Amino acid sequence: MSSGSIRKRILTIAALTIAVTLAAAGAALILVFEQHVLKRIAIELEIRSSELAKAFELDTDGNPLINHDLADARYQLPYGGAYWQISEGEVQHLRSRSLWDQILDTSTVKVEDRSKGAFEIDGPNKSELYVLERAVKLDGANGPRTFQLAVALDHADIGELRHAFSLDVAKILFLLALLLIGGAWLQMRFGLRPLHQLRASLTAVREGRTSRLTGTLPEEIKPLVDDLNRLLDRQDELVRKARDRAGLLAHGLKTPLTILSSEVARLERSGQHAHATILREQCEAISAHVERELARARTHGAIQAVSMRTLVLPIVDRLVDLMSRVDSSNSITWSVKIPGSVSAAMETDDFAEVVGNLLDNARKWARSAVTVQVHTIDGGGTVLSVTDDGPGVPGDRRQLILQRGVHFAPDSHHSSGLGLAIVSDTLAEYGRELIIADTETGCTISFEIEPPRRSERKQGDAAVKLRPASHPLGRMDPGKVASAE
């Protein structure tokens, strides 16, 4: 998962939202729990205060006493956590055994706060106590007497309950967080599925399995799909217009070049060979440049964004038949080893342009045989190769023969110097490679007609590459990897 992916962003935001929400919910639950416990303690203190008041009386001498033991046994244990005390003004008359040698000092709390209900004070052994104090009036020998009856419970018990409750809440909220994050992940996975479908559709367009984006997609993505399809339509229209303009340019230049060629012939007949040679060279340069640019304009290539599917065997058979007719001496044996189901991820005219130039190149240099076949490479790609039994290409000339107007042989009548340059330009539009190497029997030209589905080409690599014969091509026989002259 990449750092900038939508999936990671959504999952991170969901996880943070869930964590913050559950943390706030946990804190709120603990606070509410503590408030309810405090209310329960206040009720408990009321009950204990009433119990103490019922057990409190004055003896015949007017001394305070407890007429029976109170129910909570902790009153009898030193620092047991439950306490009571009876005082009159500053005088401490009675207290529970649990206080031992301590007293409940409520003087630190304002009188009005004591009258509101339970309050906190410091207790024995640095403990904190919840205390409820109430005034009780009894008739004495000298008139009514007012006593303060105080009951208290240790705060430690409340803290232990709060801690235990907090741990239980944390466990439950942690499991709930995992469940919610899992739900968010599932929601994100299913929610982003249309984007995966869109990506698969784009891949199908790029690989030529379809010409437009198709499939049932949500309303939120449909406008994007419609815009992309309109962009593809516009690209097709631009390519069609470019091809039409290329044809018009070819017809427009044909007549002037024919006239110039006639002038060259007239100059040669009149003995002006130097002028005729200069003019012929310029005419050939213009013709070569125009031919190459027209070939590039006719190329669909990768920039069209839609890779067409072209059956290989019918095109190759037609071109081989044409080449055999050109070879009037019938000195070359043509062999085609291509299954009928093999297709090329190229536009039909572009594929025919490439294969036609390669076959013509092989025809010019072959001694007796030319073989056209396909090979499967690692990753699922397919390579078409044209092998001839010609003299081959020296390593220092392989890069040169791809340049416009460069002839392998010094006699220009044998080659125009345009075929392989046009092939290179056409393949470059598809991001394909031209592979050149010598074999034991001659020379082979190879290029990918079906790139591997998940091939990873480094950006900046040249679209047309030259490789030695020893370079591995997947499952291809290295001895059959070669190219053009």
Side-chain angles (χ1 to χ4, degrees), residues 4-16:
S5 67
I6 297 178
R7 179 182 303 174
K8 184 175 182 180
R9 292 177 184 177
I10 294 176
L11 196 58
T12 300
I13 294 174
L16 290 175

Side-chain angles (χ1 to χ4, degrees), residues 74 79-83 124 127-130 152-159:
R74 290 181 296 172
Y79 311 131
Y83 311 96
S127 62
E128 292 184 359
L129 304 178
Y130 281 112
L153 291 174
D154 197 330
H155 186 277
D157 295 339
I158 310 303

Side-chain angles (χ1 to χ4, degrees), residues 3 40 49 71 167 303 333 341:
S3 60
R40 183 67 185 86
S49 180
L167 289 179
I303 61 172
T333 300
S341 60

Side-chain angles (χ1 to χ4, degrees), residues 341-355:
S341 60
V342 174
S343 63
M346 296 178 67
E347 196 268 341
T348 302
D349 291 341
D350 295 342
F351 179 72
E353 182 90 39
V354 170
V355 176

Side-chain angles (χ1 to χ4, degrees), residues 205-225:
V205 170
R206 186 178 66 252
E207 294 177 353
R209 289 180 277 120
T210 182
S211 62
R212 293 295 182 270
L213 300 178
T214 57
T216 303
L217 295 171
E219 291 297 326
E220 293 80 2
I221 299 180
K222 193 174 184 301
L224 174 62
V225 174

Side-chain angles (χ1 to χ4, degrees), residues 309-319 336 338-345 351 355 372-374 382 384 449:
R309 308 299 303 184
T310 299
L311 285 176
V312 173
L313 186 58
I315 301 295
V316 173
D317 281 343
R318 178 171 59 83
L319 292 174
V336 178
I338 300 175
S341 60
V342 174
S343 63
F351 179 72
V355 176
V372 185
Q373 55 188 333
V374 295
T382 306
L384 183 143
I449 59 174

